[in-house]
Amino acid sequence: MKNALKIFSILLFILPLVLQAQSQTYPAGTKPNEHNINGADYPRVGEDGRVHFRVHAPEARKVEISFRGEMTKEEDGYWTLVSKEPEVVGFHYYQIIVDGVSAADPNGKPFFGMGKWVSGIEIPEKGVDYYKPKNVPHGVVSESWYYSDVRKEWRRCLVYTPAEYDKNPDCKYPVLYLQHGMGENETSWANQGKMNFIMDNLIAEGKAVPMIVVMDNGNIEVLRVGPGEDPGEARAKFGADFPRILTQEIIPHIESNFRALTDRENRAMAGLSWGGLQTFNTTLNNIDKFSYIGGFSGAGQIDLNQLDKAYNGVFKDPKAFNEKVHVFFLGIGSEERPERTRNLSEGLKAAGINTIYYESPGTAHEFLTWRRCLHEFAPLLFKK
């Protein structure tokens, strides 16, 4: 009898919640954000590109959504906000700010960006599916740990192996080393960038050769300027040890633990934003190790007026450079001052250096730009 009464009392507690969930209505034309945790109905993305946020914080005095403004408190203790303008297609970061304290949305899956764990909104790009999962063979993203003598610490890289990797135990594969940007880490390309789906689809369509993709931490999560330190010197040191880590530790680790081809003809590197700068600093100073180079909204610049001196004179002999570097890719979004990268590409071409320039239409310094860049860059690699 006691058990029956206990079950009955639980049902009395749960039933109103179930009825409330069943009767809840949602703004017309909206769907849950694809990055919500299972069962979370908010945030919701409208067909018009506006995002509907709803946060439960009954004791809060002020709640905001980063980059979007202050929320309105409802009588039930929920706070709501609808984007004032349609959001740009693609992936965008956000945080909930409760009484001045910023945090990731508990209803969302975590993404490492802006130097912290935050939340993300995906505004669907109509008619585009190259970065979405399809009914094709899927590769695997795994983590691989190694000890760094350079940093005196244990580190991990995320490694994408193509779908056929385990089915062809005698086959070795070329390798793309793919770097994230400032405020991100080794998880960013697989999470925000959806690189595994991009690669799966390209390989399945025969547009890219099967390859291993390695994503490591560039040590550029947060730029800190110490007391009395010159900001310029701090920026110069920011992630400056990564080229040594990559060439002396990561590459040997990958080639010892994965079936990777080990010659420069089968080695590529690309990076976005500050990772683009790290890519140039790594590859152009070690041209004997890489045949393919990609900068996606790459930070830094190459002085065209002193091109013969840049990167220890790597551009001094254009013919020799072009024979060694099969692809020198420079990509950027049309809404992030593309002239800096366009001018660099044109200036290098004028000096006899082969480059491929790509401009992503309608995108800024954001992951849709970089997804598009990877989608353009990967098919150019390791072609015989």
Side-chain angles (χ1 to χ4, degrees):
M1 185 66 179
K2 288 184 178 179
N3 286 339
L5 289 173
K6 186 175 182 180
I7 293 173
F8 182 69
S9 64
I10 292 174
L11 289 173
L12 286 176
F13 175 76
I14 293 176
L15 186 59
L17 299 178
V18 174
L19 292 174
Q20 181 183 3
Q22 291 177 340
S23 63
Q24 186 173 1
T25 59
Y26 303 109
T30 65
K31 294 181 179 180
N33 172 38
E34 72 170 71
H35 301 305
N36 291 359
I37 60 174
N38 290 337
D41 294 317
Y42 284 86
R44 301 181 71 84
V45 179
E47 293 177 352
D48 61 355
R50 299 173 193 270
V51 180
H52 298 244
F53 296 92
R54 190 167 186 260
V55 176
H56 190 246
E59 304 301 321
R61 295 185 297 275
K62 182 179 180 181
V63 182
E64 304 164 83
I65 299 295
S66 60
F67 312 121
R68 292 164 181 84
E70 189 172 343
M71 305 185 79
T72 300
K73 188 175 185 180
E74 309 295 344
E75 292 182 358
D76 57 3
Y78 281 89
W79 296 72
T80 60
L81 179 144
V82 181
S83 303
K84 294 180 180 178
E85 301 291 338
E87 308 245 1
V88 177
V89 295
F91 176 89
H92 309 289
Y93 295 122
Y94 77 95
Q95 286 185 290
I96 297 172
I97 307 169
V98 181
D99 293 336
V101 179
S102 299
D105 188 343
N107 286 325
K109 298 172 185 176
F111 296 91
F112 193 84
M114 307 194 304
K116 63 192 80 172
W117 288 102
V118 295
S119 304
I121 287 286
E122 189 80 34
I123 309 299
E125 189 177 9
K126 295 180 180 179
V128 175
D129 61 359
Y130 68 87
Y131 53 80
K132 296 180 180 180
K134 298 181 184 179
N135 187 21
V136 300
H138 293 283
V140 175
V141 177
S142 60
E143 60 179 36
S144 185
W145 288 84
Y146 63 96
Y147 185 78
S148 168
D149 285 318
V150 174
R151 299 274 295 188
K152 306 301 179 187
E153 64 184 15
W154 281 96
R155 294 169 58 91
R156 71 166 181 177
C157 52
L158 297 188
V159 183
Y160 168 87
T161 47
E164 66 172 58
Y165 184 84
D166 291 331
K167 297 178 181 178
N168 297 319
D170 296 325
C171 184
K172 292 187 176 183
Y173 295 88
V175 185
L176 165 62
Y177 294 89
L178 186 61
Q179 285 308 115
H180 60 86
M182 182 190 297
E184 297 161 353
N185 69 9
E186 69 275 15
T187 67
S188 300
W189 261 113
N191 289 345
Q192 295 96 298
K194 300 190 177 186
M195 59 72 49
N196 52 318
F197 297 134
I198 294 173
M199 297 306 303
D200 288 342
N201 296 333
L202 286 172
I203 293 170
E205 294 165 7
K207 295 179 179 179
V209 303
M211 68 185 78
I212 296 169
V213 182
V214 179
M215 297 153 284
D216 209 296
N217 191 318
N219 310 323
I220 52 174
E221 291 103 324
V222 181
L223 175 60
R224 291 187 173 88
V225 180
E229 184 179 15
D230 179 77
E233 292 181 1
R235 289 176 66 86
K237 293 187 296 184
F238 192 51
D241 57 358
F242 186 72
R244 190 154 59 105
I245 295 171
L246 179 64
T247 57
Q248 297 180 14
E249 298 179 331
I250 299 172
I251 290 177
H253 172 75
I254 294 299
E255 294 179 353
S256 297
N257 291 276
F258 294 84
R259 297 196 312 276
L261 293 166
T262 59
D263 61 300
R264 67 177 302 277
E265 292 292 315
N266 289 287
R267 203 179 288 135
M269 186 177 180
L272 68 90
S273 194
W274 204 275
L277 174 62
Q278 291 182 314
T279 295
F280 292 161
N281 290 345
T282 303
T283 59
L284 296 176
N285 285 318
N286 295 278
I287 208 70
D288 59 315
K289 295 180 174 64
F290 301 90
S291 289
Y292 302 87
I293 303 170
F296 308 161
S297 308
Q301 266 295 353
I302 297 172
D303 189 348
L304 294 171
N305 295 320
Q306 300 188 51
L307 195 57
D308 286 356
K309 298 179 181 179
Y311 289 102
N312 297 313
V314 72
F315 300 116
K316 197 168 186 177
D317 185 343
K319 182 180 179 182
F321 181 90
N322 293 336
E323 288 176 352
K324 291 181 179 179
V325 178
H326 306 317
V327 172
F328 192 9
F329 180 96
L330 300 171
I332 195 166
S334 67
E335 306 306 304
E336 54 169 333
R337 292 178 52 244
E339 59 273 11
R340 61 189 178 91
T341 299
R342 188 189 309 121
N343 292 342
L344 174 60
S345 176
E346 292 174 354
L348 289 171
K349 286 180 180 179
I353 304 296
N354 295 336
T355 66
I356 296 175
Y357 175 73
Y358 169 72
E359 189 170 307
S360 169
T363 60
H365 204 69
E366 56 191 282
F367 257 101
L368 187 53
T369 295
W370 307 321
R371 291 174 186 171
R372 289 175 176 175
C373 284
L374 178 61
H375 187 248
E376 295 290 323
F377 180 65
L380 305 175
L381 304 180
F382 314 123
K383 299 294 187 180
K384 302 301 183 183

